Each structure stands twice: as C-alpha cells, then as structure tokens.
Amino acid sequence: MCGITGVWNPTTADPTEAARLTFFALYALQHRGQESAGIAATDGSDLRIVRRMGLVGQVFSEPDLAVLGGRAAIGHTRYSTTGSSRIQNAQPMVVSAAGLGELAIGHNGNCINARDLRDELARGGARFATSSDTEVVAQMVACESGATWDERLIRALPKLNGAWSLVILTPSALYAVRDPLGVRPLSLGRKGETWIVASETCALETVGAAFVRDVAPGEVLRIDDRGAVPIADFAADRRGMCVFEHVYLASVASDLGGVSVYAARERMGETLADEHPAIADVVIPVPDSAIPAAVGYARRSGIPFREGLIKNRYIGRTFIQPSPELRRQGVALKYNALADVLDGKRVVVVDDSIVRGSTSGPIVELLRGHGAREVHMRICSPPIRHQCFFGVDMARRDELIASRLEVEAIRRHIGADTLGYLSLGGMVAATGGTEAELCTACFTGDYLVPVQLELGKDSLEAEQVNA
Ligand code: AMP
C-alpha cells in the first residue's frame, strides 16, 4: 500500500498553501499506510523535507508548514512492502544528481527488479542509504544520462518492473507517473489554478479539488506553471489495476477508474448473496471495510442488516505490547460484539477477505460468545492463495491459509457453520471491469510480470550499504 500526493500551486500568495494541501490530502490517504509520513517541498530553488514515524496528524505541526513553504510539494504515507519500518526508509526520499541538483520521490507499489537494478547501480559506484526499493528507483533516475530530468525519467522508468505509482518533485516541476499496467491508482485534480495528484479521489475531495482524470497507465505527466503535460507514454498492451484495491485497500469514498468503490463492494455483497445464500435472521459486517458488502448481501437476500460488531475507531499502532492474555483475546481489542443484536440469532457475517486466517476464527468465537446460534461466514473475494509482489503486504505464500487448506478445512478451522467465498467472476464483474483489465494474481497466481517467487519484504535488507 502507501498513499502518495503532489501539489503544484502557481500562485505564491500563501507560501504554505502547497504543503498545507499536501498535508490534508495525506490525511485522507491515511488508510493506505500508517507507519511513517513525509512531505518534501520546493520554493523553486531547493528541496526541504520533513519525515517522521507515525500517523499523518502526529508527524506534522504548524511550524513544519513554514519550513515546507513553497509553490510545490509531494507527500507520502507509508506501509512497507520492500524495506523494513524505520525512519531511513520513510518517504519522500531525496537524491542528488550531478549537474541537475536534487529530486524527491514518493512511491506506491513495489519495484520487483529492484535487486538487480541496485546491483547494477552499485557496480557503477552508486551508494545506498536504505533497504527500500524506492531509493533504487530514485537512483536509477539520478544516475541516468540526459541533460534534463525529463530525459532521465523517460530513459530510466521503462527499466523498472512491477508496480509503481510515483510522485516526483524537482525545484522546477512535479511529475506524476504510473507503471505500464496501472497496478496502483493515481488521479489528477484541480482546485482553482492549483494542480493536485493523489493515490485516490477521496483525497481530491478532501482538499476541495475537482477530479480531472486518472493518470493513465504508463503515463509520465509533468506539471509546472505551463500546465499538466504528458511527456511519455509507455503503457503495456493490457491493463492490470489491482483488484484488491476494490476489495479492501481503497477508501469506500473513492472512485477507481471511474467506478465507486462503495458501489463495487455493494455489488460484491449482492453477488455473494446469490452465490452463497443462507437461512438467517441478521446480516452483519466486519467493520469497516465489509460494511457496503454486507449492505449488498442484506438487500439481495432480504435478511435485515444490523451492526453486530463495533470497531474501536481509535485502534491503531500502539507501542504498548498487549500481555499474552490480551494477545490471546486478539480481535476483542479491536471489536465489541452486541448481544442485543446477536443473542439467539442465525447470523450471516460478511468480511472482505481471509488472509492468514487469524481474524475469522476469533470473530466467530466472539459472535457465539454473545449468543449467536449459527454463524455463516461470507467473504466478498475468492480464497487468497498467492503472494502479492506488487505492493500489498499480505503475507508470504506459506502463511496464506487458502494456499494450504481447502474451503471446508478453512470452515472447520474458523469454526463457522458455513463458509462461502465470492467467485472470481463475481468479484471481477462487481468492479465493472474484466479480468483482462485487472491484476488478480493473489487469487489466481497469474502474475502479469514474471516474478521471483522467493522475493520478500526484506530482500534488499542484507545488501544495505550505509552512505
Ligand atoms: P487474516 O486474519 O490474516 O485472515 O486477515 C483478514 C483480515 O485482515 C480481514 O478482516 C481484512 O479486512 C484484513 N486485511 C486484508 N488484507 C489486509 C492487508 N493487506 N493488511 C491489513 N489487513 C488486511
């Protein structure tokens, strides 16, 4: 995951405006990453950066915006996929290039040939300070030949494989880039004279910007006082937007490729009700991501929708480790169950996905503990059997419960009376797309780019060179 955003503000009336809009856009993208956040800004001559570990609202304060004064800024909120969770790997990252000065970069996705590219760059003398694939991307651009950043970007970017939506800032331009398949989203918006790019449309709305269009797969968009101009197009011959964005990652307040995520999840729930009906008294969601799917299931099945689980809205990363006893309670820290809704009832509980299989069992137990007579688990995506190499930190293949167990064995493992997964076709149709436009590799194993199956999150860790 990770959220990225960029702002180009040609009017200089308020020098903190670009950083302020970047901050609020990041706030709206917090669901895409909670480990660290950062903003890089330029006043046209140099780059300034503030990056810290933590949530967006905790990382920045008003005095930071004065430091980040200038007409353009990029921002990043991180959920690590390659590289561990520590401040050196926080973004944006800044690199310098001989003759051209500095460049800041924010990356959402995962560059799967980072290891080879890094070895090649290191042989040429490049030094690396982090274990992140993003630094490799930045160095690829910085070390490329070319008299301008435009030239270096156009030469370097086609060498990257995998998923990479990027925001790039130099003192004279903002760039917005998507990989040839368009795996991760990136949208362009406008607020008055100001251009804004963001991972999701919900961030455009938050800052009062109008949606202009999605950055196209394979497009390199340069934004400066002359406007937003495509300078390169290296789209693949097919598209490959990550279907899991629709299932779980993206905010329900966003549109992906012009399709409302909320509506897509409602349709997933409706189809789930057709494919896996149940005789029950209530339909409840596992909040928050499965709420629209449960609404859809209830509407199609005619079974009343109720809230039976209440999620603690303030739960997040805590530095206080739960005691072994609290850890055993697991989901009880995250959810309260409502006996009023559940007692004596046959319950359909809808969740978006089962990954390792560690959440569903305790949820079934929690529901039964509050009086549920029967528990029918419904999942609005197919079994996840394959690892994601394109920017979703799900789990290694051997940790995915559906890579080891068939559906009936998973049902027994989680203790539900019945278990039903949405079909691949049902999920894809709900997104309004076709399989040929989506990446469904975590469900099918059909990777759109050849992958090294042993590649892990820490694949660049051992080779780290401290600059
Ligand atoms: P698990 O317990 O590993 O089966 O995780 C399933 C739960 O985690 C579901 O309730 C999902 O909403 C949620 N989930 C799915 N994918 C992710 C992800 N990449 N990161 C964090 N949570 C996730």
Side-chain angles (χ1 to χ4, degrees), residues 66-235:
V67 173
L68 295 167
R71 62 182 170 179
I74 60 171
H76 186 272
T77 175
R78 181 160 195 258
Y79 185 105
S80 55
T81 45
T82 295
S84 50
S85 176
R86 56 200 174 100
I87 188 64
Q88 289 87 341
N89 284 340
Q91 298 186 33
M93 286 187 177
V94 178
V95 292
S96 297
L100 285 180
E102 286 183 325
L103 166 138
I105 188 165
H107 174 204
N108 172 208
N110 202 24
C111 173
I112 59 171
N113 59 338
R115 195 187 187 132
D116 293 344
L117 295 174
R118 182 181 165 130
D119 289 348
E120 205 178 303
L121 287 164
R123 280 196 296 276
R127 307 273 292 163
F128 290 89
T130 75
S131 59
S132 155
D133 58 331
T134 305
E135 190 186 15
V136 178
V137 176
Q139 289 284 12
M140 283 293 291
V141 178
C143 297
E144 191 55 71
S145 61
T148 63
W149 284 119
D150 285 16
E151 284 173 34
R152 291 189 192 192
L153 282 164
I154 292 167
R155 289 201 181 115
L157 292 174
K159 297 178 186 167
L160 311 177
N161 285 337
W164 31 280
S165 281
L166 305 171
V167 283
I168 296 171
L169 186 67
T170 72
S172 54
L174 165 69
Y175 297 86
V177 187
R178 266 175 100 193
D179 64 72
L181 291 162
V183 178
R184 300 283 148 230
L186 192 61
S187 299
L188 175 69
R190 193 122 203 233
K191 180 183 167 78
E193 295 298 298
T194 301
W195 293 100
I196 301 173
V197 288
S199 294
E200 291 185 37
T201 60
C202 67
L204 301 179
E205 276 208 56
T206 294
V207 299
F211 172 77
V212 174
R213 67 176 175 87
D214 288 326
V215 177
E219 180 175 12
V220 182
L221 195 62
R222 185 190 61 218
I223 303 171
D224 58 18
D225 286 353
R226 294 166 290 181
V229 179
I231 59 163
D233 170 6
F234 37 86

Side-chain angles (χ1 to χ4, degrees), residues 79 244 248 289 351-359 392-394:
Y79 185 105
F244 208 62
Y248 171 78
S289 48
D351 203 356
D352 58 84
S353 56
I354 297 180
V355 183
R356 292 179 173 84
S358 43
T359 306
V392 184
D393 185 22
M394 273 181 177

